[in-house]
Amino acid sequence: WQLRMLPSSLIRSSCLSHGFFLVTNHKVDAYLIQLAYDHVDHLFNLPIEEKIKVVYQKYNEAMHGLALSIMELLAIGLGVDRMLYREFFEDAVSVMRTNLYPTCQEPNLSLGTGPHCDSNALTILHQDLVGGLDVFVDNKWQKVRPIPGALVINIGGVFAALSNGIYRSSLHRAVVNSHKERRSSVFFMCPRADKLVKLAEELVPTSEGAQESFRISHGQIYSKLL
Ligand SMILES: O=C(O)CCC(=O)C(=O)O
Ligand SMILES: [Fe+2]
């Protein structure tokens, strides 16, 4: 199972089946990604130094910019106005998480990050070269093998809802191993909680009433997904 590259039609086909794809040549500075990892250890020693805050701010800005570009490709793939999701997510709130998975003598008995679907809109994950991310596709766990410099993108529950379920949000997990610790940095983009999540007209070919009944805030979707 190999995922690669992306014009909007390739993104569309991966989103129709499982919602995961890789982005390379994404212009996010490799040095910035490395800095974010380097500073993880300091995060636990509060107060956080100004320097570290700046790294994470820059990391978030870079990922936010990339996520907005991906939103355009997702829109093209769905046949809606190219700017629709870019504009919708312009003021998105984001969360960043850095995971450290220590080695484990009995990896089969332990959960790294247990099976889950992301409930936010779009996730951008950077993993080191150890490997451990699995996606449940075609009824089995399949590895997302690390590729140097590549970012793993996946559709979350909010975007699956925005696409009227056309794009999929898939179950995934991170497993541990007995020989090498692993790190990943994850950027979760979600709309502000009070944002009204409304389907693009093209995705609801039925009456205005159906549109109306779909109006639901992101907070409501989020609480249903948790
Ligand atoms: O660490 C990973 O590879 C996966 C992490 C993940 O899925 C998450 O934090 O939502
Ligand atoms: Fe996840």
Side-chain angles (χ1 to χ4, degrees):
W1 187 54
Q2 269 267 332
L3 288 176
R4 287 270 193 157
M5 277 36 90
L6 45 120
S8 58
S9 57
L10 284 180
I11 290 192
R12 177 182 162 82
S13 57
S14 65
C15 291
L16 291 177
S17 86
H18 43 69
F20 273 74
F21 52 93
L22 299 191
V23 183
T24 54
N25 296 324
H26 43 66
K27 309 274 195 307
V28 178
D29 188 354
Y31 178 62
L32 179 60
I33 293 175
Q34 187 53 49
L35 271 183
Y37 279 112
D38 291 349
H39 287 309
V40 172
D41 299 336
H42 299 282
L43 271 185
F44 298 98
N45 301 322
L46 297 174
I48 300 173
E49 290 169 39
E50 206 51 39
K51 192 178 84 191
I52 300 175
K53 273 195 209 154
V54 170
V55 168
Y56 286 108
Q57 246 157 24
K58 286 203 155 107
Y59 189 93
N60 271 296
E61 276 163 25
M63 292 299 165
H64 180 77
L66 175 62
L68 292 181
S69 303
I70 292 169
M71 286 297 170
E72 281 186 53
L73 296 169
L74 292 172
I76 295 168
L78 282 169
V80 304
D81 174 12
R82 177 181 184 138
M83 300 306 280
L84 185 70
Y85 302 126
R86 171 181 271 279
E87 284 165 6
F88 184 79
F89 286 101
E90 208 104 57
D91 62 352
V93 285
S94 303
V95 178
M96 188 195 158
R97 180 157 69 212
T98 303
N99 300 307
L100 171 65
Y101 303 98
T103 56
C104 174
Q105 290 320 307
E106 303 211 53
N108 294 333
L109 298 181
S110 99
L111 287 173
T113 296
H116 67 282
C117 292
D118 292 347
S119 49
N120 54 300
L122 190 78
T123 304
I124 304 180
L125 177 139
H126 182 274
Q127 57 175 337
D128 65 16
L129 298 178
V130 175
L133 174 62
D134 293 342
V135 184
F136 198 69
V137 186
D138 296 336
N139 256 347
K140 52 181 187 286
W141 288 108
Q142 311 210 30
K143 292 187 187 316
V144 180
R145 291 184 204 285
I147 294 181
L151 295 168
V152 181
I153 316 291
N154 71 278
I155 300 289
V158 168
F159 199 89
L162 268 178
S163 76
N164 202 13
I166 296 172
Y167 281 0
R168 309 285 292 274
S169 165
S170 286
L171 202 61
H172 55 284
R173 67 179 185 188
V175 297
V176 294
N177 68 71
S178 57
H179 57 279
K180 200 147 196 207
E181 72 174 21
R182 171 176 182 264
R183 285 170 191 247
S184 63
S185 290
V186 200
F187 171 88
F188 301 96
M189 180 186 245
C190 32
R192 292 163 43 120
D194 57 349
K195 200 102 179 172
L196 209 53
V197 175
K198 179 172 163 284
L199 288 188
E201 273 161 32
E202 295 89 331
L203 301 179
V204 187
T206 52
S207 63
E208 217 173 279
Q211 249 303 356
E212 227 24 73
S213 71
F214 194 82
R215 281 170 204 260
I216 180 171
S217 75
H218 164 234
Q220 286 169 291
I221 292 188
Y222 196 67
S223 59
K224 281 187 208 305
L225 289 170
L226 288 180

